[in-house]
Amino acid sequence: MAMDIIAAARGYIDRIVSHKALRKESNVGKVLILDAYTTQVVANVYSQTQILENDFYLVEQLGSDHEPMPHLKAAVFVRPTAENVAILSREFADPQFKEYHLFFSNILSLDLLQALAESDEHEVVKQVQEFYGDFIAVNEDLFSLNMGDSLRLSAPSGAFDTTAIFDRTAQGLLSVLLSMKVEPSQIRYQGGSQMAQRLAVEVDKRIQGDGIFHFTRQEGPMLLILDRKCDPVTPLLSQWTYQAMVHELLGLNNNRVVLKGAPGVSKDMEEVVLSSTQDTFFAQQRHANFGDLAGSIKELLDDFQKNKKLNENISSVEDMQVLPSAYQQLVNGLANPMCSSYPLTLTLGRTQARRSHSHPGTQTLFLDRSPSWKGIPRSGRSLTTSQSTSLS
C-alpha cells in the first residue's frame, strides 16, 4: 500500500482553501489564519501563490492585532492546544471577522471544544473540523515534527522533564496514521529502549480508546518505533546524495536553504527554496549522488543553450507558433531549477572540499548489529515472529 505524506498534507490544505462554505462571494473576501507550527505545515506543501489563487487575500498569525475586518471570512488552521483555544476565545468575545471556520490539525479534546462553544457568544463560528495535518511533510516517505529538543527522550530517566515532548511525539505519530487512514496491524518497538516501549504502549492505548482509528479496510501496516540512541553509526556518516548533503552541509529547514555569505552567491539567491512539489529538477535529483548531480546540471545547461539557440533562429510561422510552449518549458523545466541548483551545487562542492581538507583522515564506518524487536498485537492478531512478545 503506497503512502504519500506530502499528498496527505496537501490534501488537507486543498480542502481548507477550497471549502464550499468559503467560496467567493461579492464584497466578501477570505483570510487564512495559522499558528507558528501550521505555518510550517502549509509552507512545506503550498506556495503563497497557490493560496492567492484560491482568493485568500490575507495570511496572518493567530492573535495578530489589527482593526476589525467584517468583510472577510476567516479560515483558521491551528493546533488543538489550550493556548490556541484561549486566543480564539478572546477573539470570539470581540470578533474581527465576519465568520470563522475552524480546522484543527489534530484531535480536539472535548474540554477544549466545550470552551470554544461557551466563548462563541456572537455565533460567529460556522464549523469546527479536525484535519490531521499535525506534521511537517518533507518527502513522500518522510515527515518530521520539527522538535529540536526531541533527543531528550533518549536521555537517562529523570535527566529532563520530557512529558510535553513525549505527548507531542505521540500526537504527531497519531496524526500521520490518521492522515494516511491506516490502523497498524501491529506495533513493534526496539527491545532495548524503555522510551520506545513507552511510546508504543501510549500510541496503542490511544488508538484503542478512539473509534476514529478503526478504518474498514485491508490489514494495516506494521508500525515500528526505534530509538535514536540505538543507532550510533548514522550521525557519523558523510552524505553523498543531493538532498542529504544540502541538509548536512548547508542546512535545509522547511524546504529553505540560506546561502547568505557563501562565495559567488548573488543577493537574490541568498535564500533558496528546495521543494519537490515546486521544483521538478530537485524532485528528480534529490536522491542522486553528487557526481550524477553535476552531470545532470551539465545536461541542463546544454539543454538551455540548445533551446536558446532554437528560439533565436525563427524563420517561419511554424517557428513562431511553437514559441509559447517552448518558452513555458524553458521557464518551468530549465531556468527555474538552474537558478537554485547551480549555486547550491557549487556551494556544496566548496563546503565538502573544506571539510575534507580539515579532516583528511575521515573514513566510512560500518557496524554489524542484530537488534531484537518486541511488539503489541493489534485487533487480536498474533505476532508473526518468534522474537516478539506481547505486553501484559
Side-chain angles (χ1 to χ4, degrees):
M1 178 173 54
M3 297 185 185
D4 190 334
I5 296 290
I6 291 179
R10 186 179 177 83
Y12 284 131
I13 311 304
D14 282 336
R15 291 170 61 185
I16 291 174
V17 299
S18 62
H19 198 281
K20 62 181 181 181
L22 290 164
R23 286 176 181 166
K24 187 176 181 180
E25 300 177 9
S26 59
N27 301 321
V28 179
K30 297 183 289 186
V31 55
L32 179 62
I33 300 177
L34 308 168
D35 62 23
Y37 190 83
T38 55
T39 298
Q40 301 175 57
V41 174
V42 174
N44 266 45
V45 297
Y46 238 75
S47 68
Q48 186 77 15
T49 301
Q50 291 169 323
I51 294 176
L52 292 173
E53 288 173 350
N54 284 276
D55 300 316
F56 279 83
Y57 302 109
L58 178 65
V59 179
E60 69 171 33
Q61 289 290 299
L62 179 66
S64 299
D65 294 327
H66 53 73
E67 61 184 16
M69 299 180 181
H71 59 288
L72 296 179
K73 294 181 179 181
V76 183
F77 181 50
V78 295
R79 296 199 66 241
T81 64
E83 179 183 1
N84 284 343
V85 170
I87 295 174
L88 287 170
S89 297
R90 292 194 295 271
E91 175 99 0
F92 298 155
D94 182 22
Q96 304 297 300
F97 301 104
K98 178 181 180 180
E99 59 189 47
Y100 295 78
H101 302 261
L102 307 184
F103 304 92
F104 289 98
S105 64
N106 213 323
I107 298 173
L108 181 68
S109 69
L110 293 178
D111 292 342
L112 295 181
L113 181 60
Q114 182 65 29
L116 285 173
E118 292 175 354
S119 64
D120 186 24
E121 298 179 357
H122 298 279
E123 298 184 353
V124 291
V125 178
K126 300 305 178 183
Q127 61 175 319
V128 179
Q129 294 198 47
E130 295 173 343
F131 281 1
Y132 309 106
D134 204 14
F135 53 87
I136 310 298
V138 181
N139 290 340
E140 291 81 0
D141 55 355
L142 175 65
F143 71 92
S144 171
L145 301 182
N146 274 15
M147 296 191 301
D149 52 358
S150 60
L151 278 177
R152 292 186 176 187
L153 290 173
S154 297
S157 179
F160 301 98
D161 181 6
T162 59
T163 304
I165 303 174
F166 178 82
D167 187 60
R168 177 69 190 96
T169 302
Q171 290 175 354
L173 190 51
L174 292 171
S175 173
V176 172
L177 293 174
L178 287 170
S179 70
M180 296 287 100
K181 295 181 175 57
V182 295
E183 178 186 5
S185 57
Q186 54 183 297
I187 302 176
R188 310 183 86 176
Y189 59 90
Q190 197 149 10
S193 171
Q194 293 183 353
M195 183 53 65
Q197 177 182 0
R198 180 185 167 198
L199 182 59
V201 172
E202 181 66 22
V203 169
D204 180 67
K205 182 176 71 174
R206 297 192 188 190
I207 290 177
Q208 294 297 330
D210 196 330
I212 194 174
F213 289 92
H214 304 322
F215 301 102
T216 56
R217 288 190 174 185
Q218 60 184 3
E219 182 178 2
M222 178 185 71
L223 173 61
L224 178 62
I225 299 176
L226 307 178
D227 193 326
R228 172 76 277 170
K229 71 179 182 182
C230 295
D231 177 18
V233 174
T234 300
L236 301 177
L237 301 179
S238 294
Q239 305 301 318
W240 286 100
T241 56
Y242 187 18
Q243 185 182 40
M245 286 185 72
V246 172
H247 182 266
E248 179 180 353
L249 301 178
L250 305 179
L252 178 59
N253 298 301
N254 296 328
N255 289 344
R256 284 164 175 77
V257 185
V258 177
L259 298 177
K260 186 176 183 179
V265 174
S266 60
K267 189 174 181 60
D268 60 339
M269 295 300 296
E270 289 182 346
E271 182 174 288
V272 174
V273 176
L274 277 184
S275 171
S276 61
T277 62
Q278 302 174 31
D279 189 331
T280 304
F281 180 82
F282 176 67
Q284 294 172 345
Q285 302 294 330
R286 56 187 160 170
H287 300 309
N289 66 57
F290 193 63
D292 293 338
L293 174 65
S296 297
I297 290 183
K298 175 63 167 58
E299 293 177 3
L300 205 62
L301 287 168
D302 292 342
D303 289 341
F304 177 78
Q305 293 174 343
K306 179 181 178 182
N307 276 269
K308 185 177 180 181
K309 182 179 179 181
L310 287 175
N311 290 336
E312 290 175 346
N313 295 328
I314 300 172
S315 57
S316 66
V317 175
E318 286 77 16
D319 291 337
M320 297 179 64
Q321 288 176 339
V322 301
L323 272 177
S325 60
Y327 270 118
Q328 189 63 41
Q329 182 183 5
L330 189 64
V331 171
N332 292 340
L334 298 175
N336 190 28
M338 265 203 312
C339 288
S340 60
S341 296
Y342 187 66
L344 267 177
T345 306
L346 292 178
T347 306
L348 277 177
R350 295 189 185 107
T351 305
Q352 183 62 36
R354 288 197 301 269
R355 169 182 282 195
S356 299
H357 180 73
S358 301
H359 306 281
T362 302
Q363 54 185 315
T364 304
L365 302 178
F366 296 92
L367 178 66
D368 182 19
R369 60 196 185 281
S370 300
S372 60
W373 313 113
K374 295 185 178 181
I376 305 173
R378 307 285 295 116
S379 304
R381 301 185 184 92
S382 60
L383 297 177
T384 55
T385 70
S386 58
Q387 291 181 328
S388 302
T389 58
S390 60
L391 295 179
S392 57

